[in-house]
Amino acid sequence: MYFRSDDEQRTLMSGQSLVHSLFDIHIQEIIDWHTGDYLLDTLYPNSRVCPRLDNISSEAFASEGYLSSPMQLNKQKLERDLNIIFGEGYWDWTFMIDCLMTSVCSGHGIPSGDSNSDSGEGHMSKELFTQFTAYQEFDYFYKMTFDNSFYSKLAMSNVVYTLRMRLEEAMHGDSSAMEFVLYGK
């Protein structure tokens, strides 16, 4: 067996919970867990490891298809609405999706934010949450699929190569082939 993840605490804990329940472990057991330094890891698209990813991302976000899309054209209004709730300069797109999705997926609902007026303005509605997540999905998938998915292919080539080698070892009956491999990010 082989277990591999980045070194983020949330990733390690998720992996440990999965392994604990998957293998029904009831005793304290030491299991080898391979980690990569998050800042230099290749389990996710990491421009610190592959600076070309930044160039591809810039090309995608400067493309006519991206700039003229309805989602991009509505971004300013969405940002204004979110600034009312979270405060201008107090949130950013990257971290807000993690915060909102963690809250919603753990059953805590949509955070309301702080109300800046008595009119009810300043509360995260289900509609605004849906618009926010739709924009995030559009933004992410546009970059990932731009130019025949070049960003995705380049970003994940090392991981896919390693997976392929492990599968080929197993298919050819290699005695060192792993029977169970878990990657976590």
Side-chain angles (χ1 to χ4, degrees):
M1 287 191 237
Y2 180 83
F3 304 104
R4 163 77 166 89
S5 71
D6 61 43
D7 61 352
E8 292 290 301
Q9 189 65 32
R10 65 182 167 86
T11 310
L12 292 169
M13 290 178 68
S14 293
Q16 290 169 351
S17 293
L18 176 67
V19 169
H20 175 78
S21 60
L22 190 64
F23 295 105
D24 198 26
I25 298 171
H26 294 289
I27 59 171
Q28 186 171 353
E29 185 74 29
I30 296 175
I31 299 172
D32 289 334
W33 197 281
H34 304 269
T35 60
D37 182 341
Y38 188 80
L39 295 177
L40 300 173
D41 210 338
T42 59
L43 282 181
Y44 69 96
N46 188 344
S47 62
R48 289 179 198 94
V49 175
C50 181
R52 177 73 173 104
L53 293 175
D54 283 338
N55 299 102
I56 299 166
S57 182
S58 295
E59 291 170 21
F61 295 143
S63 72
E64 178 60 32
Y66 180 78
L67 295 174
S68 65
S69 71
M71 295 297 276
Q72 186 60 22
L73 296 173
N74 293 327
K75 181 181 180 185
Q76 286 183 340
K77 181 185 179 325
L78 183 56
E79 282 181 332
R80 280 193 306 272
D81 292 344
L82 293 168
N83 283 336
I84 290 169
I85 297 169
F86 300 111
E88 189 169 351
Y90 289 99
W91 67 277
D92 99 3
W93 292 96
T94 304
F95 298 111
M96 189 56 66
I97 191 73
D98 277 348
C99 293
L100 290 174
M101 295 310 287
T102 299
S103 181
V104 170
C105 292
S106 62
H108 292 88
I110 301 168
S112 63
D114 293 326
S115 180
N116 294 326
S117 73
D118 295 330
S119 67
E121 198 176 75
H123 291 284
M124 176 68 90
S125 65
K126 184 171 181 163
E127 179 184 348
L128 187 57
F129 174 76
T130 301
Q131 290 172 9
F132 174 80
T133 55
Y135 178 79
Q136 287 288 81
E137 290 169 356
F138 160 76
D139 197 62
Y140 183 78
F141 287 109
Y142 192 91
K143 175 176 64 174
M144 292 298 166
T145 59
F146 177 74
D147 193 17
N148 197 27
S149 301
F150 187 43
Y151 185 97
S152 300
K153 291 173 184 176
L154 183 59
M156 300 314 298
S157 61
N158 185 52
V159 173
V160 171
Y161 174 78
T162 303
L163 288 172
R164 180 182 172 162
M165 298 313 302
R166 290 190 186 283
L167 288 169
E168 286 181 357
E169 289 171 355
M171 288 176 10
H172 294 112
D174 189 324
S175 62
S176 65
M178 303 287 173
E179 292 183 24
F180 182 87
V181 176
L182 173 69
Y183 287 96
K185 177 352 198 148

